[in-house]
């Protein structure tokens, strides 16, 4: 009889211990979930901002290839063609597009001949020998690079001196 | 608790993910990209570059730019694969003292694991940067066919990068984890992984606690880049035919062609045709030359048919090897960007007779699965915490028989939502709360769960009393609805069991009904809204007339009264346009009261702009805008 009682008491204590452990575990799980939920809210706000940013940036990136082609068109013009008023009009449209992008914080990466190639902002498309120029410098800018608020949107595509 | 980073260390690209809030999430790298190029280089200025920067300088530095090192990791120099790959890789490869491999960057020779470690180190640092905490533990994935030595070398790469690699798991297994297929006992899964440069097939068997690889197959030199190349070749041939110029000789033109080809391929996964438009692609003595070709999905499929056929043949032979037939397969998972191509999805479906799993971004699914494996080890993914969602929306009936939803479908429970409603008539002392379940905008079209009446609301003009209705669902799906009037604090409630325990067929039926009636419901709803607005406008108009009394000039008063009776006539039985028109007229005329009063005195102006929210239980707390809340 006595032994049985003892065992029951032990049993109860063990159960209690188990319950405490479980309660603790549940409480911790709950606290963690609450914290997670609040954090998710904060992150959602940041995420929404990042998403809006990303949407803008991907639109800009698509517009860059339009700008590239406008640049190509401009450099294909001869002096006589440049003087016609229709061409002038087109060149103003190109300028308008650049102004729109500039208003949204898009900046051209200043890239010039003889500048050192830097993979952080330049992408090498080809490498050619060029007398009188230092190896590793930029010979020609093929497509301009752009940044926005310090972030690289697209590197400038360049030809590098071998 | 420190997070375990899940890493998909790919041949051409790598990706990483962590568990956050019980879900796996991709982490962007420092450049803001969701994948990182698996390239490392020693730049001409002596710097170690990893990722996109290494790629950007690759053409100027091919000997010191190491890519696709995954093809070499953990292998022996004498392996036939290594001997073949050696011919394709521009950097120097030699046999190490132990028969392993060494690659050269600058003056130093590195083991492939050390190169992989550079990539892993960048991933680790970028993840720490993004998450704002230290990362010390990782799960790294490898192809299912990797042998012990390749797995060990991958683990070593992680260790060199300062990561405690908790597990090296198979890429297909990670993909299965991402889809939650580890819980499906005794299933056979095919993972069809068509990446940028490799094509892997794995057959998995899920049993108690384990996912076992039964067979692997594929082609380590077949990938999405081959598809792009086909388009480039086609463009070059067409242009040569039309203009007589070989664009393949011009590196810039070639690069523009490659980019345009990839973009066209991606577009043709959703569109049926696309323009490849590259102005000023070249020039000759006659002036600039432009490239503009239309490419259709059918044309593309034709170009790459041989690759698709090859992939399905490989799929068949892998099945044969495992002594299985298509019927033995329960699930198919698509991995790798190239599987977005509809023709590939069709081919896989045609061969296996099953709709493949493709809802998770195929470029990210492996990294996500690795993060989930990390979560399982961390203990943050516990089945105990499997939370239920409400299968259908829960709401109450409001003015005009509308279903105002408080808890939308697919809301995770337990949850609680409340909204303030008001009375529809002056001195109304009771409101009825009718709880409904379903997606139809009109309450009677939904399932009625119960109703009760809240009495004892102190007499007040319509719209003034505030009745708060609270919906609370506990983890067992028991719904408690309470309505409480705020000034008297009188409340009434109802308990509804099994609001979530509704059979799947019924959920399906209710949902499809909602879809079926969507258009007709929308019209009905619009009419009710117009009537409710008319109702509120009439109330305001009469009140304004009453309050303004003699201050309103007779002619204005007469006009308002006419418009009021006009609206009353069409309100109940008129069409939507009639009701809207009459209401608009009344609203216009009402403004005359306002201006008349302004001109007579700057005194009290009746609120003609904001007719109070409709009768019955309906009013949002914050404002009496003329929009109904839902």
């Amino acid at each position: 009889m006595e032994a049985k009682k003892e065992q029951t008491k032990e049993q109860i204590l063990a159960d209690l211990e188990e319950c405490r452990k479980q309660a603790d575990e549940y409480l911790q799980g709950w606290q963690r979930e609450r914290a997670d939920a609040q954090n998710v809210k904060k992150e959602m706000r940041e995420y929404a901002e990042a998403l809006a940013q990303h949407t803008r940036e991907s639109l800009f990136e698509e517009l860059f290839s339009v700008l590239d082609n406008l640049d190509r068109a401009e450099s294909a013009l001869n002096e006589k063609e440049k003087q016609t008023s229709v061409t002038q009009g087109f060149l103003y449209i190109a300028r308008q597009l650049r102004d729109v992008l500039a208003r949204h914080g898009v900046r051209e990466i200043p890239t010039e001949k003889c500048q050192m190639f830097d993979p952080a902002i330049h992408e090498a498309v080809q490498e050619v020998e060029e007398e009188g120029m230092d190896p590793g410098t930029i010979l020609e800018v093929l497509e301009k690079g752009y940044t926005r608020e310090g972030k690289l949107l697209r590197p400038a595509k360049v030809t590098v001196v071998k | 608790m420190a997070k375990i980073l899940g890493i998909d260390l790919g041949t051409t690209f790598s990706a990483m993910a962590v568990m956050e809030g019980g879900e796996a999430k991709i982490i962007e790298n420092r450049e803001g990209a969701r994948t990182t190029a698996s390239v490392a280089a020693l730049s001409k200025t002596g710097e170690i570059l990893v990722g996109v920067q290494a790629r950007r300088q690759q053409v100027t530095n091919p000997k010191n730019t190491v890519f696709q090192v995954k093809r070499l990791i953990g292998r022996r120099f004498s392996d036939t694969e290594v001997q073949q790959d050696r011919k394709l890789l521009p950097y120097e490869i030699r046999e190490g003292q132990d028969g392993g491999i060494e690659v050269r960057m600058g003056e130093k020779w590195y083991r492939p694991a050390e190169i992989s470690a550079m990539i892993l180190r960048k991933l680790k640092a970028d993840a720490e940067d993004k998450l704002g905490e230290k990362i010390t533990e990782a799960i790294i994935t490898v192809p299912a066919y990797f042998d012990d030595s390749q797995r060990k070398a991958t683990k070593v790469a992680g260790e060199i990068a300062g990561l405690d690699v908790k597990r090296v798991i198979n890429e297909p297994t990670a993909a299965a984890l991402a889809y939650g297929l580890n819980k499906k006992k005794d299933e056979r899964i095919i993972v069809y992984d068509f990446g940028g440069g490799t094509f892997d097939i794995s057959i998995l068997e899920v049993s108690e606690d384990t996912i076992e690889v039964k067979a692997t197959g594929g082609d380590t030199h077949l990938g999405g880049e081959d598809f792009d190349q086909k388009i480039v070749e086609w463009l070059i041939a067409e242009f040569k035919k039309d203009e007589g110029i070989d664009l393949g000789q011009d590196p810039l033109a070639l690069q523009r062609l490659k980019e345009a080809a990839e973009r066209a391929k991606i577009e043709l996964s959703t569109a049926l045709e696309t323009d490849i438009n590259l102005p000023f692609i070249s020039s000759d003595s006659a002036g600039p030359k432009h490239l503009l070709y239309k490419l259709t999905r059918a044309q593309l499929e034709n170009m790459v048919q041989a690759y698709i056929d090859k992939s399905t043949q490989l799929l068949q032979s892998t099945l044969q090897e495992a002594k299985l037939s298509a019927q033995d397969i329960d699930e198919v998972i698509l991995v790798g960007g190239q599987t977005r191509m509809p023709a590939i999805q069709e081919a896989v479906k045609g061969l296996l007779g099953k709709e493949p799993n493709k809802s998770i971004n195929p470029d990210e699914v492996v990294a996500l699965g690795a993060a989930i494996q990390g979560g399982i080890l961390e203990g943050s993914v516990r089945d105990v915490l499997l939370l239920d969602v409400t299968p259908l929306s829960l709401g109450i009936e409001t003015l005009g028989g509308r279903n105002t939803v408080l808890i939308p479908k697919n809301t995770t429970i337990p949850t609680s939502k409340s909204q303030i409603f008001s009375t529809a008539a002056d001195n109304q002392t009771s409101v009825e709360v009718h709880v409904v379940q379903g997606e139809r905008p009109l309450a009677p079209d939904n399932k009625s769960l119960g109703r009760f009446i809240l009495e004892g609301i102190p007499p007040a003009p319509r719209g003034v009393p505030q009745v708060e209705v609270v919906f609370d669902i506990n983890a067992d799906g028991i719904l408690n609805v309470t309505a409480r009037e705020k000034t008297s604090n009188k409340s009434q409630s109802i308990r509804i069991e099994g609001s979530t325990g509704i059979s799947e067929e019924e959920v399906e039926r209710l949902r499809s009904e909602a879809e079926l009636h969507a258009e007709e419901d929308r019209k009905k709803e619009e009419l009710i809204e117009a009537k409710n607005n008319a109702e509120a406008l009439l109330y305001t108009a009469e009140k304004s007339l009453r309050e303004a009394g003699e201050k309103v000039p007779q002619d204005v008063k007469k006009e308002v009264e006419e418009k009021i009776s006009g609206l009353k006539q069409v309100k109940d039985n008129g069409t939507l346009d009639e009701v809207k028109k009459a209401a608009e007229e009344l609203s216009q005329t009402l403004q005359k009261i306002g201006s008349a009063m302004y001109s007579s005195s700057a005194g009290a102006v009746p609120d003609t702009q904001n007719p109070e929210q409709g009768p019955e239980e309906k009013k949002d707390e914050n404002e009496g805008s003329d929009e109904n809340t839902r």
Side-chain angles (χ1 to χ4, degrees):
Chain A
M1 188 68 200
E2 198 62 42
K4 202 176 174 189
K5 211 172 169 185
E6 236 359 78
Q7 200 181 17
T8 321
K9 195 177 159 198
E10 259 168 34
Q11 189 67 43
I12 290 168
L13 282 175
D15 280 355
L16 181 65
E17 184 54 30
E18 178 65 19
C19 284
R20 277 196 180 133
K21 239 171 74 188
Q22 227 173 38
D24 198 45
E25 188 187 323
Y26 290 169
L27 179 65
Q28 276 188 20
W30 177 61
Q31 286 167 329
R32 195 169 293 280
E33 286 300 318
R34 294 293 303 164
D36 270 348
Q38 293 193 5
N39 292 332
V40 164
K41 263 188 211 161
K42 282 176 219 153
E43 272 156 27
M44 277 315 288
R45 244 172 277 142
E46 283 162 27
Y47 175 75
E49 178 48 37
L51 193 70
Q53 192 90 323
H54 180 79
T55 312
R56 269 197 298 271
E57 284 170 5
S58 41
L59 173 65
F60 294 151
E61 280 161 38
E62 289 206 44
L63 286 176
F64 294 152
S65 54
V66 179
L67 271 183
D68 293 337
N69 288 327
L70 286 167
D71 286 340
R72 288 189 185 102
E74 189 175 344
S75 53
L77 291 170
N78 61 37
E79 275 315 306
K80 206 175 139 204
E81 284 166 333
K82 249 183 217 172
Q83 296 314 316
T84 72
S85 101
V86 175
T87 313
Q88 282 299 320
F90 275 108
L91 291 177
Y92 286 152
I93 297 171
R95 188 163 148 183
Q96 190 184 14
L97 178 56
R98 280 189 198 97
D99 286 346
V100 168
L101 289 170
R103 265 205 301 284
H104 284 88
V106 177
R107 302 274 171 272
E108 228 174 72
I109 299 172
T111 311
E112 279 163 27
K113 196 173 168 176
C114 297
Q115 199 177 323
M116 267 318 271
F117 169 75
D118 175 2
I121 48 172
H122 304 138
E123 178 175 338
V125 175
Q126 57 181 336
E127 200 183 29
V128 295
E129 311 254 3
E130 181 72 19
E131 278 206 26
M133 277 185 69
D134 292 334
T137 57
I138 291 168
L139 177 65
E140 193 189 353
V141 181
L142 304 166
E143 286 174 8
K144 287 172 185 158
Y146 296 93
T147 57
R148 181 167 179 267
E149 287 161 12
K151 184 182 169 193
L152 181 74
L153 295 183
R154 192 183 78 171
K157 285 191 181 149
V158 297
T159 304
V160 180
V161 178
K162 202 166 187 167
Chain B
M1 189 161 47
K3 291 198 160 87
I4 300 181
L5 191 63
I7 300 173
D8 169 10
L9 185 61
T11 307
T12 47
F13 282 97
S14 298
M16 53 181 169
V18 288
M19 291 302 286
E20 226 169 66
E23 272 173 37
K25 195 182 109 183
I26 290 287
I27 308 174
E28 292 178 357
N29 65 15
R30 200 162 295 172
E31 289 86 15
R34 295 169 76 84
T35 54
T36 300
S38 304
V39 186
L42 182 73
S43 78
K44 287 186 168 168
T45 50
E47 246 182 304
I48 296 271
L49 300 172
V50 179
V52 69
Q53 290 205 27
R55 240 161 69 126
R56 282 184 201 142
Q57 55 86 65
Q58 192 169 0
V59 296
T60 72
N61 196 17
K63 289 229 164 272
N64 300 310
T65 305
V66 180
F67 59 100
Q68 302 199 350
V69 76
K70 190 176 176 182
R71 295 190 187 280
L72 307 175
I73 197 164
R75 285 193 183 273
R76 309 200 53 82
F77 187 74
S78 52
D79 286 355
T80 37
E81 290 90 345
V82 174
Q83 289 307 316
Q84 276 166 7
D85 286 334
R86 242 182 100 190
K87 294 183 200 123
L88 305 170
L89 300 171
Y91 48 88
E92 272 185 75
I93 300 169
R94 74 170 186 197
E95 184 166 11
Q97 283 180 350
D98 55 356
I101 295 165
E102 289 180 347
V103 299
R104 183 174 175 160
M105 263 185 8
E107 296 306 304
K108 266 188 78 181
W109 289 89
Y110 298 86
R111 305 168 68 85
E114 292 177 84
I115 304 290
S116 288
M118 293 176 188
I119 297 159
L120 291 169
R121 199 175 293 129
K122 173 182 165 62
L123 295 178
K124 174 180 187 275
D126 287 6
E128 288 175 343
D129 207 47
K130 283 274 155 175
L131 297 171
E133 58 183 295
K134 270 241 155 300
I135 298 283
T136 52
E137 297 174 330
I139 305 284
I140 304 178
T141 62
V142 294
Y145 59 77
F146 258 31
D147 63 19
D148 254 7
S149 154
Q150 288 166 298
R151 284 165 203 266
K152 219 170 182 175
T154 304
K155 190 161 192 246
V156 167
E159 278 155 11
I160 298 172
L163 290 165
D164 173 10
V165 182
K166 292 302 216 188
R167 293 268 166 90
V168 170
I169 67 168
N170 290 319
E171 289 159 8
T173 303
L177 278 172
Y179 277 104
L181 298 181
N182 53 319
K183 288 170 197 125
K184 301 210 169 178
K185 306 278 178 252
D186 302 320
E187 279 208 339
R188 287 200 192 88
I189 303 169
I190 283 198
V191 180
Y192 179 99
D193 180 351
F194 218 132
T198 58
F199 171 56
D200 296 327
I201 301 163
S202 317
I203 301 177
L204 309 177
E205 202 167 78
V206 184
S207 57
E208 207 73 35
D209 302 329
T210 56
I211 299 180
E212 200 185 332
V213 179
K214 298 303 278 183
T216 63
D219 182 340
T220 53
H221 290 91
L222 174 64
E225 281 163 16
D226 297 312
F227 288 55
D228 301 350
Q229 191 52 37
K230 278 281 175 202
I231 302 177
V232 171
E233 283 165 14
W234 172 74
L235 287 171
I236 290 175
E238 289 292 299
F239 197 76
K240 196 161 187 181
K241 200 169 68 193
D242 295 343
E243 303 286 349
I245 297 171
D246 182 6
L247 295 175
Q249 301 305 313
D250 176 354
L252 176 66
L254 202 54
Q255 190 171 8
R256 286 179 71 193
L257 286 177
K258 276 185 193 157
E259 285 169 10
E262 194 187 353
R263 201 177 313 132
K265 178 183 81 175
I266 290 169
E267 243 174 68
L268 288 176
S269 285
T270 48
L272 287 173
E273 60 173 48
T274 182
D275 277 344
I276 299 175
N277 180 359
L278 297 168
F280 301 95
I281 188 78
S282 184
S283 66
D284 61 11
S285 53
K289 297 280 176 208
H290 314 301
L291 180 152
L292 176 60
Y293 293 117
K294 195 180 281 303
L295 180 62
T296 65
R297 186 187 285 181
Q299 267 175 299
L300 172 64
E301 286 169 1
N302 223 355
M303 281 177 210
V304 300
Q305 195 56 50
Y307 294 144
I308 299 177
D309 290 345
K310 190 170 182 196
S311 84
T312 47
Q313 278 159 20
L314 286 165
L315 189 54
Q316 260 167 330
S317 56
T318 310
L319 273 171
Q320 272 163 19
E321 218 173 282
K323 299 193 173 57
L324 293 170
S325 69
Q327 290 80 33
D328 300 320
I329 302 301
D330 301 295
E331 299 272 356
V332 186
I333 298 176
L334 298 183
V335 179
Q338 192 54 52
T339 61
R340 290 194 180 93
M341 186 176 189
I344 288 188
Q345 296 179 359
E346 284 307 311
V348 174
K349 202 174 139 188
L351 186 66
L352 297 173
K354 263 170 211 78
E355 194 60 52
N357 289 286
K358 54 180 193 221
S359 57
I360 303 176
N361 183 337
D363 296 317
E364 300 175 352
V365 61
V366 170
L368 293 171
I372 290 171
Q373 175 69 60
I376 292 170
L377 293 183
E378 263 176 357
S380 70
V381 189
R382 265 177 300 186
D383 285 346
V384 201
L385 278 179
L386 253 185
L387 297 174
D388 228 338
V389 295
T390 52
L392 292 163
S393 301
L394 295 164
I396 63 171
E397 179 170 351
T398 56
L399 176 64
R402 281 167 53 147
N403 170 17
T404 298
V405 171
L406 269 90
I407 300 183
K409 70 169 181 219
N410 290 333
T411 302
T412 305
I413 58 171
T415 190
S416 165
K417 292 272 167 65
S418 77
Q419 198 172 326
I420 309 274
F421 295 89
S422 191
T423 51
D426 289 341
N427 300 324
Q428 184 180 334
T429 55
S430 70
V431 292
E432 188 184 36
V433 176
H434 179 202
V435 184
V436 296
Q437 179 176 43
E439 307 314 312
R440 305 281 298 271
L442 301 185
D445 294 331
N446 294 294
K447 187 179 173 192
S448 171
L449 292 180
R451 54 176 87 214
F452 63 86
I453 290 172
L454 174 66
E455 291 184 26
I457 299 173
R462 62 173 254 159
V464 171
Q466 295 203 334
V467 178
E468 185 182 35
V469 176
V470 181
F471 273 47
D472 185 278
I473 309 184
N474 71 7
D476 300 321
I478 294 167
L479 170 66
N480 264 299
V481 179
T482 309
R484 190 171 58 84
E485 198 280 317
K486 285 199 153 177
T487 48
S488 64
N489 238 347
K490 284 243 162 63
S491 75
Q492 189 61 254
S493 66
I494 187 171
R495 180 183 144 102
I496 298 158
E497 295 201 18
S499 64
T500 53
I502 189 166
S503 74
E504 257 176 57
E505 293 84 57
E506 186 154 21
V507 170
E508 205 30 64
R509 184 178 64 78
L510 291 168
R511 277 188 192 169
S512 57
E513 260 178 23
E515 265 167 46
L516 200 67
H517 297 289
E519 182 55 27
E520 144 203 355
D521 280 351
R522 195 184 54 78
K523 283 189 183 141
K524 275 197 221 163
E525 202 183 3
E526 243 181 291
L527 184 59
I528 289 175
E529 187 168 322
K531 282 181 186 172
N532 288 352
N533 286 343
E535 208 58 83
L537 187 64
L538 283 172
Y539 178 83
T540 315
E542 285 170 342
K543 193 170 142 210
S544 306
L545 275 187
R546 244 188 350 260
E547 283 171 1
E550 293 311 304
K551 284 184 215 151
V552 184
Q554 272 309 312
D555 57 329
V556 174
K557 189 172 175 186
K558 190 156 170 269
E559 199 182 339
V560 172
E561 278 168 347
E562 266 171 27
K563 300 290 179 199
I564 287 178
S565 73
L567 180 56
K568 275 185 176 163
Q569 267 171 24
V570 296
K571 176 180 67 95
D572 289 326
N573 298 314
T575 64
L576 177 64
D577 287 339
E578 285 166 353
V579 178
K580 271 191 171 166
K581 188 165 165 276
E584 179 59 28
E585 280 175 9
L586 175 56
S587 164
Q588 294 280 336
T589 321
L590 265 187
Q591 285 176 11
K592 290 188 184 166
I593 303 184
S595 40
M597 304 222 354
Y598 258 125
S599 51
S600 64
S601 77
V605 181
D607 181 12
T608 57
Q609 282 300 338
N610 296 330
E612 289 288 332
Q613 197 78 197
E616 279 239 70
E617 324 100 270
K618 171 100 242 182
K619 181 177 183 298
D620 211 314
E621 185 172 35
N622 28 24
E623 86 230 302
S625 91
D626 51 6
E627 276 288 319
N628 275 322
T629 41
R630 205 164 263 128

